Amino acid sequence: MAIKKSELYSKLWAMCDAQRGGMEPSQYKDYILVLLFVKYVSDKYANDPNALIKIPVGGSFKDLQGLKGQKDIGEKIDIAITRLAKENDLVNVIDVISFQDEEKLGKGKEMVDKLTKLISIFEESALDFSKNRAEGDDILGDAYEYLMRHFASESGKSKGEFYTPAEVSRVLAKVIGVKKSAKEKQTIYDPTCGSGSLLLKVAEEAETKVNLYGQEKTVVTAALARMNMILHNNPEAVIEKGQSTLSNPLHKNELGNLKTFDFVVANPPFSSKNWTDGFDPANDIYNRFEAEKIPPAKNGDYAFLLHIIKSLKSKGKGACILPYGVLFRGNVEAEIRKSLIEKGYIKGIIGLPVNLFYGTGIPACVIVIDMENAASSKDLSDDEKGIFMIDASKGFIKDGNKNRLREQDIHKITDVFNKQIKVPKFSRFVPYSEISNPKNDFNLNIPRYIDSQEIEDIQDIEAHLQGGIPNADVEALNEYWEVYKTLKGELFSASKRKQYSELKITKDSINQTIFSHPEFVTFSKEMDTLFASWKIRNTKFLKELTVGIKPKQTIHSISEDVLKTYTDKKLMDKYDVYQHLMNYWNEVMQDDCYLIAVDGWKAEPYRILIKNKAGKEVDKGWDCDLVPKSVLINHYSPKEKQAIEKQEAQLEIYAAALTELEEDNGEGGVFEDFEKVNKAAVQKRLKELEAPVKKIPKKKLEYAMVAEPEAEYETEDKEKRILKQYLKIADDYSDLSSMVKNAKTELDIKTLARYKTLTETEIKQLVVEDKWMASIERNFKTEMDRISQRLTQRIKELAERYESTLSVVANDVMDWEKKVNGHLVKMGFTL
């Protein structure tokens, strides 16, 4: 059975993290990723004469396994990897780190143990990569990216620069227009490529085969990029290394000038202070810098941007991530910015949220360059040409100690940018005439042009003094009144004072009034019908999935249909609905589609074996990934399930009764002296109370009757009664618990047997309709519920805010003051 994509990722990271010990993540990643590469190519290409990578004798992962525990393991690993490198033109790529480095790996036994554990990480049977790849979806390449992201997150400030967050990379890939170009063999270049993740995201976006070029100063990071290219099926990518792109660009044409490309993307080091090392920008042989407009010696942001522009063809497109300060900083940077704007190079600016990048928390932006646009804008008026701006700073989700763009944020940014859509508080086209106006003076700080501030919830003093709800607050809910056209009249009436309204109903009836209103009911039904239409189309599509399908294409198809279905639907933000689908895809559906891509529609139960603290495997029952046990039971055994649930509810009642009895008779009660209250202890105490009483002489008996009040005999009877009551409930609980256990066992056996008879048609019904569509529908309904709750909560908030005027509050204070003073006088205090 194929491994689930998410399981592959989490297994790899968990094992890597567990074995890291005290080694720095930024260093440890190099060893892990090289071994991951060796393991993958060994599994994938061994014994294949036509393979992309040739696996030589002595250079496979199996050969590395044979070295575990050997004293010279480090030396022999280096030898094996060198053989693999020489066989495949990967010298100075996979062999750039030494497995004999005592400074990083320790000496003697410490090194042997550490390297043995490193190899052991990839020996898990689940990590057999020869059987676990959906062709075209780069499952292993994505795992490589996943590990790099985690290592970047763990590496700390300045050491995570080798990796650009995938979400940001996808934004750049989509806004430069690579998908629109039908040109074959488009060239894409990243002058500071790091581990190559940004380049690969652009390549993934292209619909035709592309040629990739990159340069990375750090040799080890460049090696990661080269391996990344191979794992993502781009072995022809040209990754130059060892030199700074600014001082010594290595991609040149036949004449020795800078090679130019169709597309250039980059995430250069922010505000580099040593960008001039190795050359004099005033005498730059590539003519990237104008006289009197050379970037500051201690800040290389514009140097990289100017290099990108010089590296673009006449119709080339580029995008660069830079710190937000490039938009407004003064002095020579202001002059460079003005020059770029006047030449029309800058097509757009996207302001990003803070704390997205590893190694820094400062805000950043994306500068989009369009050389073709610059050429055509020369004939336009100052009002026709300009820059499209987006303030995307507020769209993100917290992810550990970093922020991360959500799927909906990526899609909204790219949709709006590519279609040049004006969205209030989010985006607009800013004409050159406005940017060049002396008031702005070529300052591109986005808040100058887009006011994205949330409307302040202002307290109305007059309403606090005299009552009523401000009409301005009521009208602020206009998006609801456009849909529920008569609902406002049901909720509010005009006040005697202009600009104010009164709530016609009680606060407690707000929910009922809204949810039962005919227009609300009608709109809810319309939304149900809308989802049903999407469900019908996509249920058919999903049931037609077969072995070999590409899961990424699958989610693209159904998610784009969601956006199309909910476009221009009032109240429902299509991107919010889209996010619900993408969340479910990432959590469940993606793994299912990868299983189908490899194994087809197979429902294969498996035992759940978990190792305990002693390292012994413990059987925790069974389940099935594609068709979980719960889905099968819900479909074929609903009555048995309901009966068990009813009994379990009764068990909870019994358990609560026992707890209540114990608490009510604790301190000072029947169970006060009990070390532990349980059935055995209660039986023991009751046995003591019911033991035969020894005969007492008559005179002593009479004395006892006088000495011991009747109440004490009643106490003894009460104690017996409580103990017996406890035992009765405990027996009932025990009997019912046994019944539930037996019923579950019977249902378990019946359900497990049912898997053997499932047809492919039944599996498709269970997976697509009972599992996927049922979950997606529930998630979509939560969006409708959220929208409705937002209305009811706001109206209730306004009603509570202004229900008590200042005079009423003042009178209440006076009344309470009188009462307090009265109590103080009674207590003997003089006021």
Side-chain angles (χ1 to χ4, degrees):
M1 183 179 73
I3 188 172
K4 293 191 292 184
K5 191 173 185 181
S6 61
E7 186 180 332
L8 169 63
Y9 295 173
S10 59
K11 257 184 179 296
L12 276 172
W13 176 249
M15 290 186 294
C16 292
D17 197 41
Q19 302 291 1
R20 176 159 57 94
M23 195 186 299
E24 277 289 320
S26 57
Q27 296 175 344
Y28 186 64
K29 77 174 191 306
D30 301 331
Y31 293 96
I32 286 293
L33 294 174
V34 166
L35 288 178
L36 173 63
F37 179 85
V38 174
K39 167 65 171 170
Y40 174 71
V41 297
S42 297
D43 284 355
K44 192 70 179 175
Y45 301 119
N47 304 316
D48 182 354
N50 301 314
L52 176 71
I53 301 291
K54 292 181 173 59
I55 311 300
V57 175
S60 70
F61 182 77
K62 191 172 183 180
D63 293 310
L64 300 187
Q65 286 178 283
L67 304 177
K68 291 197 311 178
Q70 295 186 17
K71 290 182 180 180
D72 54 354
I73 183 173
E75 179 186 352
K76 288 183 176 177
I77 290 177
D78 282 344
I79 292 170
I81 291 176
T82 298
R83 285 175 180 163
L84 182 63
K86 288 180 177 178
E87 187 71 27
N88 295 283
D89 193 23
L90 292 173
V91 174
N92 294 325
V93 175
I94 63 173
D95 56 351
V96 293
I97 58 168
S98 172
F99 283 80
Q100 303 177 67
D101 191 329
E102 294 181 345
E103 186 177 326
K104 295 175 182 176
L105 297 168
K107 298 180 179 180
K109 187 176 185 302
E110 182 185 357
M111 177 186 286
V112 173
D113 291 345
K114 191 166 286 186
L115 292 177
T116 297
K117 287 179 180 178
L118 281 175
I119 293 170
S120 298
I121 288 175
F122 300 98
E123 289 184 318
E124 288 263 340
S125 58
L127 302 180
D128 181 353
F129 302 135
S130 64
K131 303 173 183 176
N132 294 299
R133 187 179 184 195
E135 290 298 334
D137 262 24
D138 300 309
I139 190 168
L140 212 283
D142 289 351
Y144 188 87
E145 291 272 311
Y146 178 90
L147 288 177
M148 281 198 292
R149 175 165 66 86
H150 276 275
F151 282 126
S153 178
E154 296 279 325
S155 291
K157 190 172 182 181
S158 82
K159 293 183 180 178
E161 293 176 348
F162 59 83
Y163 181 73
T164 302
E167 296 82 13
V168 182
S169 296
R170 287 168 57 196
V171 170
L172 269 68
K174 290 175 182 292
V175 299
I176 60 174
V178 65
K179 191 169 188 175
K180 294 178 183 177
S181 177
K183 181 182 174 183
E184 289 288 334
K185 296 289 185 179
Q186 298 174 94
T187 54
I188 304 171
Y189 168 56
D190 184 345
T192 57
C193 71
S195 57
S197 58
L198 178 52
L199 263 179
L200 288 166
K201 284 294 180 288
V202 182
E204 186 179 306
E205 191 68 18
E207 294 183 343
T208 57
K209 184 66 178 174
V210 296
N211 292 332
L212 302 181
Y213 300 83
Q215 183 165 338
E216 170 54 40
K217 182 178 181 180
T218 306
V219 174
V220 174
T221 304
L224 295 181
R226 186 78 181 91
M227 288 186 283
N228 206 1
M229 296 297 137
I230 294 170
L231 291 174
H232 279 90
N233 201 30
N234 282 282
E236 303 90 355
V238 181
I239 306 296
E240 300 289 358
K241 60 184 180 294
Q243 300 289 332
S244 163
T245 300
L246 295 179
S247 64
N248 187 15
L250 297 174
H251 292 286
K252 303 174 188 177
N253 60 24
E254 303 80 20
L255 300 175
N257 297 321
L258 288 182
K259 182 178 176 65
T260 55
F261 304 89
D262 296 303
F263 299 95
V264 180
V265 290
N267 178 19
F270 285 1
S271 305
S272 174
K273 298 186 184 305
N274 57 356
W275 71 274
T276 61
D277 287 0
F279 83 119
D280 178 7
N283 297 302
D284 179 43
I285 62 173
Y286 306 107
N287 299 314
R288 291 170 291 184
F289 314 109
E290 295 182 38
E292 309 301 325
K293 293 177 185 174
I294 297 175
K298 297 297 183 181
N299 193 324
D301 293 330
Y302 272 105
F304 285 105
L305 187 59
L306 291 169
H307 174 81
I308 288 170
I309 291 171
K310 198 69 176 178
S311 300
L312 283 167
K313 293 182 178 180
S314 60
K315 294 185 179 181
K317 314 289 191 299
C320 184
I321 302 166
L322 291 171
Y324 201 82
V326 300
L327 302 179
F328 54 79
R329 291 197 297 249
N331 301 319
V332 69
E333 289 186 304
E335 292 301 314
I336 297 172
R337 185 170 60 245
K338 178 182 178 182
S339 176
L340 295 178
I341 295 169
E342 288 177 333
K343 292 174 181 175
Y345 289 154
I346 301 177
K347 177 183 179 180
I349 299 169
I350 302 168
L352 297 172
V354 299
N355 201 29
L356 286 181
F357 298 92
Y358 303 105
T360 180
I362 67 173
C365 62
V366 177
I367 307 290
V368 183
I369 302 296
D370 188 342
M371 304 302 285
E372 184 177 17
N373 178 70
S376 62
S377 67
K378 293 176 182 178
D379 299 326
L380 301 176
S381 70
D382 286 356
D383 288 331
E384 290 174 316
K385 62 185 177 183
I387 296 173
F388 191 82
M389 296 187 183
I390 292 179
D391 184 349
S393 60
K394 304 219 172 24
F396 62 88
I397 190 173
K398 291 292 293 180
D399 185 10
N401 61 354
K402 305 300 292 181
N403 294 331
R404 178 168 56 83
L405 295 177
R406 299 164 294 181
E407 294 289 343
Q408 70 181 96
D409 302 318
I410 297 168
H411 216 303
K412 183 177 181 180
I413 291 169
T414 55
D415 275 355
V416 168
F417 187 89
N418 291 331
K419 297 172 185 176
Q420 303 277 289
I421 302 170
K422 181 179 180 180
V423 178
K425 296 186 174 296
F426 185 75
S427 64
R428 64 176 285 239
F429 176 79
V430 183
Y432 176 85
S433 58
E434 186 176 348
I435 296 169
S436 60
N437 186 295
K439 180 183 69 174
N440 293 316
D441 193 25
F442 297 94
N443 185 316
L444 295 179
N445 194 14
I446 295 175
R448 282 178 176 257
Y449 308 99
I450 299 174
D451 180 8
S452 62
Q453 294 298 311
E454 296 294 329
I455 297 174
E456 189 177 353
D457 188 11
I458 299 173
Q459 299 278 342
D460 189 295
I461 296 176
E462 186 177 338
H464 279 300
L465 292 173
Q466 301 182 46
I469 296 174
N471 287 346
D473 286 325
V474 176
E475 294 307 319
L477 298 168
N478 189 56
E479 62 175 334
Y480 290 97
W481 312 140
E482 288 182 355
V483 176
Y484 312 136
K485 298 185 183 299
T486 64
L487 178 59
K488 183 169 68 171
E490 295 288 329
L491 297 169
F492 301 100
S493 60
S495 173
K496 293 178 181 179
R497 299 175 6 263
K498 289 183 178 180
Q499 308 304 322
Y500 293 90
S501 296
E502 301 288 344
L503 189 64
K504 290 171 66 174
I505 58 176
T506 64
K507 286 188 303 180
D508 294 337
S509 61
I510 291 173
N511 278 30
Q512 176 62 26
T513 302
I514 292 174
F515 293 150
S516 63
H517 193 275
E519 290 168 349
F520 179 89
V521 173
T522 298
F523 181 73
S524 297
K525 288 181 179 177
E526 288 175 1
M527 292 301 102
D528 289 343
T529 302
L530 203 62
F531 175 79
S533 67
W534 177 86
K535 177 181 176 180
I536 290 169
R537 288 192 302 275
N538 290 281
T539 294
K540 182 177 184 297
F541 168 73
L542 291 170
K543 285 186 176 181
E544 292 171 352
L545 298 179
T546 59
V547 171
I549 56 110
K550 296 180 178 179
K552 290 180 181 177
Q553 291 182 5
T554 300
I555 185 56
H556 179 266
S557 175
I558 66 175
S559 64
E560 290 301 310
D561 195 27
V562 160
L563 288 168
K564 182 179 178 182
T565 301
Y566 286 89
T567 293
D568 297 328
K569 302 304 175 187
K570 292 183 177 179
L571 295 183
M572 297 287 279
D573 186 320
K574 65 180 180 180
Y575 294 108
D576 287 335
V577 180
Y578 169 83
Q579 185 64 42
H580 284 294
L581 174 60
M582 296 308 297
N583 287 344
Y584 184 68
W585 169 261
N586 290 325
E587 292 164 7
V588 176
M589 200 172 166
Q590 175 180 223
D591 281 337
D592 290 345
C593 285
Y594 272 91
L595 293 177
I596 293 167
V598 176
D599 294 330
W601 296 90
K602 291 182 181 179
E604 300 176 336
Y606 60 88
R607 305 307 302 183
I608 303 171
L609 301 173
I610 298 176
K611 288 184 178 179
N612 59 19
K613 292 181 180 179
K616 184 179 179 181
E617 284 193 338
V618 180
D619 192 333
K620 293 291 184 178
W622 62 272
D623 209 334
C624 176
D625 287 327
L626 191 60
V627 183
K629 182 196 304 187
S630 58
V631 172
L632 204 67
I633 290 172
N634 287 339
H635 190 90
Y636 291 110
S637 307
K639 290 182 179 178
E640 292 97 321
K641 180 190 173 186
Q642 288 169 10
I644 291 172
E645 288 174 345
K646 188 175 180 180
Q647 290 174 325
E648 287 179 328
Q650 184 59 49
L651 282 176
E652 290 180 7
I653 293 172
Y654 286 151
L658 289 172
T659 301
E660 184 180 356
L661 202 60
E662 183 179 341
E663 290 176 350
D664 290 347
N665 296 276
E667 189 175 347
V670 172
F671 301 124
E672 180 179 29
D673 296 328
F674 277 57
E675 199 171 300
K676 187 176 182 181
V677 181
N678 55 32
K679 188 175 179 181
V682 171
Q683 286 175 328
K684 181 180 178 183
R685 176 58 181 154
L686 187 60
K687 188 175 181 181
E688 291 171 356
L689 292 174
E690 292 181 337
V693 181
K694 293 182 179 180
K695 289 187 178 181
I696 304 173
K698 190 173 182 181
K699 287 184 178 180
K700 286 187 178 181
L701 182 60
E702 289 172 354
Y703 174 79
M705 294 294 288
V706 173
E708 299 179 16
E710 186 178 345
E712 294 203 10
Y713 289 95
E714 290 178 358
T715 300
E716 184 176 284
D717 290 341
K718 179 182 178 182
E719 183 178 0
K720 285 182 180 179
R721 189 173 67 252
I722 291 171
L723 295 174
K724 289 178 179 179
Q725 184 182 358
Y726 184 97
L727 289 175
K728 173 67 169 65
I729 298 172
D731 286 339
D732 289 343
Y733 181 91
S734 181
D735 292 342
L736 186 57
S737 183
S738 295
M739 290 175 61
V740 170
K741 185 178 180 180
N742 291 335
K744 283 184 173 181
T745 299
E746 290 177 9
L747 181 57
D748 211 41
I749 294 170
K750 175 184 173 183
T751 303
L752 185 58
R754 185 69 178 86
Y755 277 94
K756 297 177 182 179
T757 65
L758 287 176
T759 64
E760 185 173 293
T761 299
E762 288 175 320
I763 293 173
K764 288 180 178 181
Q765 156 74 31
L766 291 165
V767 174
V768 179
E769 297 191 47
D770 292 20
K771 182 182 179 183
W772 293 348
M773 286 300 174
S775 297
I776 293 169
E777 184 169 10
R778 283 194 299 272
N779 293 339
F780 281 18
K781 283 185 180 295
T782 63
E783 187 58 30
M784 183 64 194
D785 292 341
R786 187 182 67 83
I787 291 167
S788 304
Q789 290 297 332
R790 192 169 60 202
L791 174 62
T792 59
Q793 288 168 5
R794 179 57 176 168
I795 294 174
K796 188 175 182 180
E797 179 185 25
L798 292 172
E800 291 176 343
R801 177 181 294 178
Y802 299 115
E803 67 181 339
S804 298
T805 61
L806 182 61
S807 59
V808 171
V809 173
N811 289 333
D812 287 343
V813 170
M814 290 175 63
D815 289 343
W816 282 109
E817 186 177 8
K818 287 178 183 178
K819 290 178 181 178
V820 171
N821 289 340
H823 286 304
L824 290 172
V825 170
K826 288 180 181 179
M827 294 166 66
F829 292 97
T830 303
L831 301 177

